[in-house]
Amino acid sequence: MVALWGLSQWLVLLPDACDRLRDDAFYEFAWAANVAAGRGPCVSDGVTTSGVQLLWSLLLVPIAWLGGAACLPFVAPWLGVALHAATAFGWWRTVRDRATAAVLALCWRGHPLLLRESQNGQETALACLLASALWWGRKARPGTWTLLGGAAVLARADLIALLGTLSLWRDGLQVRAFAAPAAAALSLAAANLALGGGVLPDSAGPMAWLWHSNQALVDAGWPAWLSASWWFARPALLGGPFAAASVYGCGRAVFGVLRSWWPAAWRIAPAVLVGIASALGVRDLATPGFAALLLVVWPAARRRAVPRALLAVVVGLAAIVVVHWAVRWYPRDYYVAPLVVVAMVALARHGRLRLLLLALPLVQFVDRGRIQPEPLLGQRELELAGRFVGAVLPPGERVGCFNSGLLTFHADVLAGPSARGVVNLDGVVDARSFAALRQARLSAFLDDLGVRFVLDNPVQFALDARLPHACGPWFGGGFRPERDLVELARFDVPGVGNGRAGGDSVRLYWRRGRGASPAPPFAAASELPRLPSGERVVACPLRAGQRLGWRGADGIDRTLLAVDVDTVAVVALAAALHGGVVCVDGQREPVLTLAPL
């Protein structure tokens, strides 16, 4: 029932840019498509990159070669679903007790977080498969173990912690215990050096650097740094990421480790500490609270040996939370997915206790509300910009963009070899950009490349370091967005934003003083090709203070967009399939009539 419920609620036949598929996935699509087309392992124009998860991106190369780049947004999520199913099958095959195997496999198959993230177009399902495989193959021969560890680390670099802890469990503190982790680390470092800007993936540093650097601009004092560090470190103390994976399973794992050595006389102490923390207003206490409750009701009758294999899995996968939350300050749900392996291992150890085993699907069903669809609607405007930036940008011009995955894929990769070059600006897939950001000379870097135009949400160019993703302070040279950036076009889906200040639309800017001012791309309103979803797209020049509206067959005027500068509005109209007229506030006659389709 849990598996069927999960499939019915979370399996999406056609994930798109506003449901499941993230902008980061399109980096990997672009990388794979460029390799398949012979353009090399690149995303950002003019440079190779290691800023993608290499094994997953390599798996996409033959798909792009056989079916073309356009098939990747459809095939990649289904490949993820297939890998998710393969992992469930692996749990069924490798657990000896048949009832336990069936429960674990079905709960894995229907897990809402895993189902959602297996369709995100990224490497998540592959990473979960290989994290599970490290557990299944923990007693494999040394050569097989080394190959398996290398594959896991190439699938996702943070799995090296799990490889390391399980290697120590296998061989103890001996030299051979470090062979597989060392081989995996050296292989990854060599690939990163060959493709990117250092031994770490290009994507490892930029966002973490931005959060820490902007925090220093807001308040460089140690109390502020300590407060921010504590805010991001708290989830590592069995908080939200562990609850998203499984309150019951992760709580059982922590209990299984503690029970072996925790004094029975002190078994109530963890519950008291959790209660005090709750009274003080601390949240995300479900997992430690459940582990503490188990210690109270199920204390050890005698001291036992520490379950070292379970401890290795807990420590190795908890390191994911430490790295991405406490160190990088960049939490993302898809990082959490491999933590479900902790729950599976914990339940497999006590599967013969049937009541405890059957509690897993029950709790997973009751806990289903913890996982919700992510708000990715703002990505629709990035996709809109990617499809139509060529209609408003002067021919032959390159464009810089921070959130450049969708833009690169649609405006560059799908447009063919004659397409304009998109330069990634946040450094995730371009080590040159990251170096320029760290040196606060992004403006000079763009000048060196001859890039006269930039495109993104306005917040990306903001000077206020308190705003998430604000990169204005790192342009250098006295950069002021209101003076130095001249808006040319605004890509908007009415009613859609990314949930942040300055995230209501995606805008194309000319960098003032870089060459001649470009001519307006449209002299009058016109209809552009429809989106694959069937939505109609209208481009209309607007003056500052004007509003763009649409009137359907019902005669009701609806405001689509109001602008505060002269610009060209490129707007997607979901409601205009049956025709209507496009109006500009202040003009008596409609500027465009849309015939019914």
Side-chain angles (χ1 to χ4, degrees), residues 63-72:
I63 297 173
W65 184 74
L66 290 171
C71 78
L72 290 175

Side-chain angles (χ1 to χ4, degrees), residues 465-509:
R466 294 171 298 180
L467 298 175
H469 293 271
C471 295
W474 310 106
F475 274 72
F479 172 77
R480 289 171 52 195
E482 68 278 6
R483 179 195 64 199
D484 299 333
L485 299 180
V486 179
E487 183 177 328
L488 299 181
R490 186 174 299 193
F491 300 89
D492 188 74
V493 179
V496 167
N498 63 11
R500 298 193 304 267
D504 61 306
S505 58
V506 169
R507 306 180 191 185
L508 175 69
Y509 299 98

Side-chain angles (χ1 to χ4, degrees), residues 230 234 269-286 288-289:
W230 170 242
R234 289 184 308 166
V272 171
L273 291 176
V274 170
I276 293 173
S278 179
L280 292 175
V282 178
R283 297 295 177 262
D284 291 335
L285 293 171

Side-chain angles (χ1 to χ4, degrees), residues 27 30-31 34 39-49 202 398-401 404 408 412-413 421-433 445 449:
Y27 288 137
W31 192 94
N34 284 330
R39 294 192 289 266
C42 58
V43 178
S44 182
D45 183 47
V47 62
T48 61
T49 185
D202 290 341
R398 304 163 82 192
V399 61
C401 181
S404 62
T408 300
D412 201 344
V413 174
V422 177
V423 177
N424 170 256
L425 298 185
D426 61 16
V428 170
V429 288
D430 194 328
R432 306 169 305 172
S433 298
F445 168 71
L449 293 183

Side-chain angles (χ1 to χ4, degrees), residues 135-202:
W135 172 255
W136 304 330
R138 62 193 181 278
K139 297 180 180 179
R141 294 178 179 177
T144 303
W145 179 248
T146 299
L147 290 175
L148 182 59
V153 173
L154 287 176
R156 216 168 83 176
D158 54 18
L159 290 181
I160 195 167
L162 178 61
L163 174 62
T165 55
L166 284 176
S167 294
L168 287 172
W169 170 81
R170 280 167 52 95
D171 300 311
L173 289 174
Q174 301 184 51
V175 173
R176 65 174 179 268
F178 300 94
L186 289 173
S187 298
L188 181 62
N192 292 337
L193 282 170
L195 298 174
V199 296
L200 295 176
D202 290 341

Side-chain angles (χ1 to χ4, degrees), residues 36-120:
R39 294 192 289 266
C42 58
V43 178
S44 182
D45 183 47
V47 62
T48 61
T49 185
S50 61
V52 297
Q53 300 295 349
L54 294 173
L55 187 58
W56 173 251
S57 300
L58 288 170
L59 285 178
L60 297 180
V61 170
I63 297 173
W65 184 74
L66 290 171
C71 78
L72 290 175
F74 171 77
V75 175
W78 280 103
L79 177 58
V81 170
L83 293 172
H84 174 66
T87 310
F89 178 78
W91 282 104
W92 181 75
R93 288 287 295 174
T94 55
V95 175
R96 291 183 179 180
D97 181 67
R98 291 293 83 199
T100 303
V103 170
L104 296 187
L106 290 171
C107 286
W108 183 281
R109 193 72 180 92
H111 195 288
L113 176 66
L114 296 178
L115 269 171
R116 189 186 76 187
E117 297 305 332
S118 69
Q119 302 166 75
N120 64 16

Side-chain angles (χ1 to χ4, degrees), residues 483-581:
R483 179 195 64 199
D484 299 333
L485 299 180
V486 179
E487 183 177 328
L488 299 181
R490 186 174 299 193
F491 300 89
D492 188 74
V493 179
V496 167
N498 63 11
R500 298 193 304 267
D504 61 306
S505 58
V506 169
R507 306 180 191 185
L508 175 69
Y509 299 98
W510 168 56
R511 301 178 60 231
R512 189 189 299 275
R514 275 68 177 185
S517 175
F522 289 91
S526 61
E527 185 174 4
L528 300 178
R530 295 201 309 274
L531 295 173
S533 61
E535 291 173 287
R536 303 178 80 158
V537 180
V538 170
C540 182
L542 297 174
R543 307 289 293 180
Q546 288 185 325
R547 293 181 297 173
L548 184 69
W550 171 73
R551 183 186 309 125
D554 56 8
I556 299 176
D557 289 321
R558 298 170 177 84
T559 298
L560 302 175
L561 180 68
V563 300
D564 54 352
V565 296
D566 294 356
T567 189
V568 170
V570 180
V571 181
L573 298 174
L577 295 178
H578 301 295
V581 296

